[in-house]
């Protein structure tokens, strides 16, 4: 498959500035205006994740962080239209870094700042959803796939599990793929044999190699891959037919993923809109749950 199509201007990694646009948002606008190779997308993803620090990183430091060669960083800058990496870094320094301004405005301790950063991620997601077409398209693809495999490994397992739990209430056959290893390809094959036409993937940092390989395998098997990822430049982008970005928070020791979770719920809503029996299935579930006394309230 060719590179995926991103909805909007990608994920937000970093704190929003006083002017309302994040450092990451400015980087994404710059990067998405160009067609990048897989290696260059890797560099772009690294810089978006380190948006606040990006204007001050040397080409050697960027290369080490992205796991590429220093000449690759130079070629990346040239691909963006600059004479070299120093010119790109000068361009990034023209806009003051957003972190201190936003943190001063938000105030509070590190936990409160992490919450404020997540609020900014949600605001950014709301802006992306001003165009509902990508989510509506994804909902139609997911509703039409029977069975519907939902993939999420490691950090993304909770997102995939939550989606699969609720989707099973309205979709006739949802198959959660939350374990890697050699059986993952077998389960994708089984879904294809049963009639699956699409696969939904939640992909969050740090991105497991198994997920990238699984999406490549799924695409080769004929599945349309819909991916919720932290950035339009995530490693899974090259193997996604439709990529929907939702940023993760990076202010704490472990990333927070409120925006990907909410985007998953929006996908559920869009899928329900495409399933004519969704409301009837929900009502049937409620009746059976009441008869069994499943819930105490």
């Amino acid at each position: 498959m060719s590179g995926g199509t991103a909805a909007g201007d990608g994920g937000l990694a970093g704190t929003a500035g006083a002017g309302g646009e994040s450092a990451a948002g400015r980087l994404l606008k710059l990067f998405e205006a160009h067609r990048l190779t897989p290696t260059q997308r890797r560099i772009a993803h690294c810089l978006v994740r380190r948006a606040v620090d990006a204007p001050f990183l040397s080409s050697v430091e960027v290369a080490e962080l992205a796991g590429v060669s220093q000449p690759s960083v130079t070629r990346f800058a040239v691909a963006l239209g600059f004479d070299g990496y120093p010119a790109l870094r000068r361009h990034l320094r023209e806009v003051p870094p957003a972190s201190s301004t936003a943190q001063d405005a938000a105030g509070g301790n590190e936990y409160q700042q992490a919450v404020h950063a997540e609020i900014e991620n949600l605001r950014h997601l709301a802006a992306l959803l001003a165009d509902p077409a990508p989510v509506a398209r994804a909902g139609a693809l997911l509703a039409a796939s029977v069975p519907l495999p939902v993939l999420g490994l490691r950090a993304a397992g909770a997102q995939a599990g939550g989606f699969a739990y609720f989707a099973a209430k309205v979709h006739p056959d949802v198959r959660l793929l939350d374990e890697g290893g050699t059986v993952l390809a077998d389960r994708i094959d089984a879904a294809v044999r049963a009639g699956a036409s699409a696969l939904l993937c939640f992909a969050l940092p740090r991105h497991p190699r198994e997920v990238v390989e699984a999406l490549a395998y799924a695409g080769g098997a004929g599945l349309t891959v819909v991916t919720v990822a932290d950035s339009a430049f995530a490693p899974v982008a090259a193997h996604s037919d439709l990529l929907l970005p939702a940023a993760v928070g990076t202010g704490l020791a472990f990333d927070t993923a409120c925006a990907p979770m909410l985007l998953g719920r929006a996908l559920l809503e869009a899928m329900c809109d495409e399933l004519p029996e969704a409301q009837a299935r929900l009502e049937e579930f409620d009746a059976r749950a009441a008869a069994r006394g499943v819930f105490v309230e």
Side-chain angles (χ1 to χ4, degrees):
M1 285 185 296
S2 61
T5 300
D9 65 351
L12 180 67
T15 322
E21 184 180 25
S22 71
R26 289 189 288 272
L27 286 176
L28 285 163
K29 286 183 179 179
L30 172 63
F31 298 157
E32 289 189 345
H34 299 82
R35 187 173 184 86
L36 303 177
T37 68
T39 296
Q40 289 165 356
R41 287 198 300 269
R42 185 171 182 175
I43 298 169
H45 180 64
C46 173
L47 290 175
V48 169
R49 294 275 294 164
R50 299 290 297 269
V52 172
D53 302 327
F56 309 100
L57 296 174
S58 69
S59 60
V60 174
E61 289 171 325
V62 173
E64 291 177 352
L65 289 169
V68 302
S69 67
Q70 191 275 336
S72 293
V73 177
T74 300
R75 288 192 292 269
F76 168 74
V78 172
L80 296 178
F82 298 94
D83 293 336
Y85 183 77
L88 170 58
R89 188 165 65 172
R90 284 196 299 271
H91 174 77
L92 297 180
R93 287 179 175 179
E94 290 176 0
V95 180
S99 61
S100 60
T101 303
Q103 289 181 2
D104 290 344
N109 57 44
E110 62 179 316
Y111 309 122
Q112 292 174 301
Q113 290 171 9
V115 172
H116 288 305
E118 280 291 64
I119 290 171
E120 290 301 325
N121 287 344
L122 292 172
R123 287 191 178 120
H124 189 67
L125 177 61
L128 293 179
L129 293 176
D131 176 11
V135 172
R137 178 188 168 203
L141 290 169
L142 302 180
S145 181
V146 183
L148 172 60
V150 179
L151 171 64
L153 302 183
R154 294 185 179 267
Q159 307 296 326
F163 181 95
Y165 171 78
F166 289 112
K169 298 183 185 302
V170 294
H171 191 286
D173 189 355
V174 178
R175 303 187 181 186
L176 177 62
L177 309 179
D178 60 352
E179 294 182 2
T182 58
V183 299
L184 183 53
D186 295 341
R187 297 185 66 190
I188 292 173
D189 285 338
V192 172
R193 286 196 302 269
S197 57
L199 176 146
L200 173 63
C201 174
F202 287 86
L204 302 178
R206 300 167 62 187
H207 294 275
R209 184 182 303 275
E210 281 182 298
V211 172
V212 178
E213 294 171 347
L215 294 191
Y217 187 85
L223 294 177
T224 299
V225 175
V226 177
T227 303
V228 173
D230 59 302
S231 166
F233 298 101
V236 294
H239 303 293
S240 302
D241 296 291
L242 178 58
L243 189 146
L244 303 170
V248 299
T250 59
L252 301 176
F254 298 100
D255 290 347
T256 51
C258 296
M261 181 188 70
L262 185 52
L263 181 52
R265 297 299 187 268
L267 278 174
L268 278 168
E269 187 75 10
M271 190 177 74
C272 287
D273 291 341
E274 297 291 332
L275 292 169
E277 300 297 322
Q279 187 60 39
R281 288 192 177 109
L282 284 174
E283 291 175 359
E284 180 183 5
F285 170 79
D286 285 341
R288 290 183 177 179
R292 291 160 49 203
V294 173
F295 304 112
V296 295
E297 66 273 10

